[in-house]
Amino acid sequence: MRNLGPVDDIPLGEGRTYAVGDDMIAVFHLRTGEVRAVSAVCPHKGGPLADGQIDNRVVVCPLHLYAWDLATGCSQSGQPAIDVYPVRVDDGQLILGV
Amino acid sequence: MTQRLVVIGNGMAGARTVEEILARSKNRKENRNEVGGEGRIPDGNEVGGEGRNPNRNEVRGEGREPGEGRSAEREARRSGEGGGDGGFVVTMFGDEPYGNYNRIMLSNLLAGVEDEAGIFLNDLGWYADNGITLHSGTRIERIDRTAKLVYAADGTATPYDKLIIATGSSSWTPPIKNINNPKRGYHQGVFAFRTLDDTRGMIRYARDHERAVVIGGGLLGLEAARGLQNHVSEVTLLHAMGHLMNVQLDERAGTMLKDSVESRLGIKVVLNAMTTEILGKDRVTGVKLADGTVIDADVIVVAAGIRPNTRVAADSGLTVERGIVVDDQMRAIGEDDIYVVGECAQHRGEMYGLVAPLWEQAKVLADHITGSDPDAAYRGSKLHTKLKVAGIDVAAMGLKEPETDDDEVIVYSEPKKGLYKQIIIRDGALVGATLVGDNSKAAGLIQAFDRGEPLPDVRAELLFDLGGAKAEVTPGEMPDDAQVCNCNGVSKGAICGVVDGGCRTVSGVMDRTRAGKGCGTCKPLVQRIVEWAAGGEAEEDPAASWYVPGVPMPKPELMAVIRRYELKSVSSVFDKLVPGGEHDAKSKMGLASLLKMMWADEYVDERDARFINDRVHANIQRDGTFSVVPQMKGGVTTPDQLRRIADVADKYGVPMVKLTGGQRIDLLGVPKEQLPAMWADLDMPSGYAYAKSFRTVKTCVGSDYCRFGVGDSTALGIALEERYQGLEGPGKMKLAVTGCPRNCAEAYVKDLGVVAIDGGRWEIYVGGAAGAHIRKGDLLTTVGTADEVIRLTGRFLQYYRENANWLERTYTFVPRVGIDRIREIVVDDSDGIAQALDAAVEEAVQAYQDPWKERAVPATPGQFRTSLPLTVLPQVPVRA
């Protein structure tokens, strides 16, 4: 368990990167209010996924526009999967459970 | 059971058909042995002396002596051994006393470029090796269909189980007085041009004579005339019709051919020439034409056409119209055991005199007669020829002239070089083509004609190799590992794999492979591969017409409902217009652009709808850093600006400083968190080198300093950039103003380019490009003042913003709408919307705010927080 700070640090519909131990984790704040956490680096060419655009299902890497499912980490375009981390909002705080 | 197959005719059709039949019988035998149904080991054949191994036959057939009787007996025995496998004992009758030769090559023989040995297809040894009894020089007179016998002229009868009639055709002799000598056929010195004997006689006779006349200006007559030049000094070609090769060519092409034949080959051509009489008593002295003209000559060649040899068939009770009428299996109508092939056959009303249809007929006949494909059917051939007629390239296929008013006819004619090209297109498919003088594009045309392939939009590509674009390859010809998308490295194999996996829409395949998602130039090829891999059954993609993939409607409809419901934010569009209200990440940027354009300062700006570049006003680089390009209007700068840029580059340790193609300075490798501080230190407006928006106006030196400049391009460029800076659109808008038609600022290849011309006027070009796609812009109009340029630029850009699809650049948009239509709207105001366009663009101009002022307070929490905290930057090497 790890508190990443207030969920309001992440604007609705956007993502931010957090360093957790040696991992880089991109956390996204969906427009539904839910949150998602995945590995921050795109497995294709190392793009910063937190800078990507999202909807309530997928994140699109800003470099070459490959897309991954935020819930499963699966690629929609034949790329390797990304890691998915459990994350939730508790009393306005982002709680990452690793 | 072995059957007796008799073939009447030993020409190209007869022999080819027998070859096809033998090939099928051989396969059947081999397959039979291989499956081992009879318990034989395949090797057993070799030692078993059953003679099925072709090599053994060769050894046995030592010397290949044409002792036909012996050979036939031997081979009949061999075939007989195969009992029960449907083999044939073949007997062939040929008029001519030879094996089988290539009649097409007779003109080469006449021209002296080929010798007799070179034109034989099958010598007598081939007949022996294949167990075929050949009766050469034997004419068949009658077929007894009931008794299944054929009677030869010498009275012998030969029984058959199956019969093939391949009697071909003969040279036709027009009714000309004195052409025949009652004692010996043709008059002395008169020749047909059909057989090896004709050709030999012609060569022998022509050697001692000087002047030749050829009657007939078709293919054969032209070849004869050209060949005779090898033997005599003067050749005249007489043609009864108004132009040469009138069967294949239209009048213009025929005229072009005549000019080439006369000027380049030195053959005299007389058109509309009705030959009425051959002059000369013992030997020929000339010809007389209907108008009384006399042409002196001592050799006359008749090449006025051919007539199918149908007499035997007609005498024997078969149905004969122009030719012997056959069904789709190439059987004479109503006959189970009599087949007809080649020039003497009439199929569905058509007769064919070319080899390609003949080969197709032979295949069907062989498939059917051997039972290897009982359903084989001949459905007629699409005719095309590609050849050198008398040394001149000629190709013809399908229609030679348009038939309806809707037929699209494209003609290129260059008489001086003897070049003529014509294509006829109906409903998007090639239905006819004629080429004279250049056959370099014939292969592609024949393919498009035969298969009804889709044609390029730029029709000229059918006639010429245009610069830039590579010759089109068909997907079938491409190896699997051929790279299709050079931006994203996607191979043909990868695309086919996705199609095989069940994805049958072009956009679906593009999404999954990212093929065509880079510069986009390979999209047509991706489409062709998907169609090919799906067996021509690619599915129509309903989303293709939508403005963005996540909202199911085209742009005009989408704009109408957005207005009706006053949807001013991207999320409200999804919530209101998408069934189920599902948001779509890939649609956000396009919607944001559209809403900003529609609502200007009323637009509700949700930052997550923006692409990262638009969130931080800089262009993201491969390592997650950004590039910073300050505005430098018209590419004009000052020492103070340069000093500031240099100081900033020093202060922030910018790894690379580079000049851009748009005449600005690019600071590359800047971490996101440093952006606001750098903007503050630069204190220059954003150059918008990151957005789908108005980018920059490139200019030349103009009239202030340039010796050639006729207009002040720099001043106009600066004015344009000042007014339209940052204007968002469906795609980038790159402009240029150049001070004279020398075009140093490359205005002809910009989305909008302005060219100063002498007399204080300005030309405005739109729809140009010089990126992955290269296109010269279309001239929109010419105006007298810089103010008019500025006004029309705004009006055109607004029309583009309102009507172009998302990411559709002007180089696609302008040709799609058509420059004439755009001129009507933008210049002539035919639709009465000019004022509205001007007002809309004015509103957008007024709503402009420099995004780099957004720096004192972040617009959102963590707007400039790094997204790669642990990566050591820069990853791109620093250059000294």
Side-chain angles (χ1 to χ4, degrees), chain A residues 8-19 21-24 31 40-41 45-48 50-58 60-67 76-78, chain B residues 488 490 511-514 517 571 581-586 588-589 606-612 615 620-624 626 672 860-871:
Chain A
D8 292 344
D9 280 356
I10 312 177
L12 269 187
E14 292 193 39
R16 294 289 181 261
T17 303
Y18 294 84
D22 284 342
D23 289 331
M24 290 183 283
R31 279 199 163 266
V41 180
K45 291 277 169 87
D51 282 347
Q53 286 190 285
I54 62 164
D55 50 33
N56 296 325
R57 266 181 336 109
V58 301
V60 181
C61 175
L63 293 195
H64 303 102
L65 309 184
Y66 287 98
Q76 293 193 325
S77 34
Chain B
N488 292 330
V490 185
D511 270 346
R512 280 183 217 196
T513 60
R514 306 225 36 81
K517 294 260 187 176
S571 62
E582 186 151 359
H583 292 213
D584 177 47
K586 292 185 177 182
K588 287 181 164 184
M589 193 181 176
E606 294 167 338
R607 301 292 289 211
D608 65 307
R610 299 185 179 201
F611 185 59
I612 184 66
R615 291 182 197 167
I620 192 165
Q621 304 296 308
R622 57 176 293 194
D623 61 353
F626 292 81
K672 197 200 284 175
T860 60
Q863 181 187 8
F864 297 104
R865 214 171 90 188
T866 182
S867 288
L868 289 175
L870 300 183
T871 306

Side-chain angles (χ1 to χ4, degrees), chain B residues 55 74 92 128 174 230 241 302 461 518 609 658 664 758 766 817:
Chain B
N55 294 329
R74 180 178 73 206
M92 297 181 77
N230 195 39
M241 310 302 283
V302 180
E461 286 172 14
K658 172 136 190 6
R664 304 186 287 187
D758 202 27
V766 294
V817 177

Side-chain angles (χ1 to χ4, degrees), chain B residues 43 486 596 790 876:
Chain B
D43 285 348
N486 289 329
K596 180 81 201 296
I790 293 170
V876 177

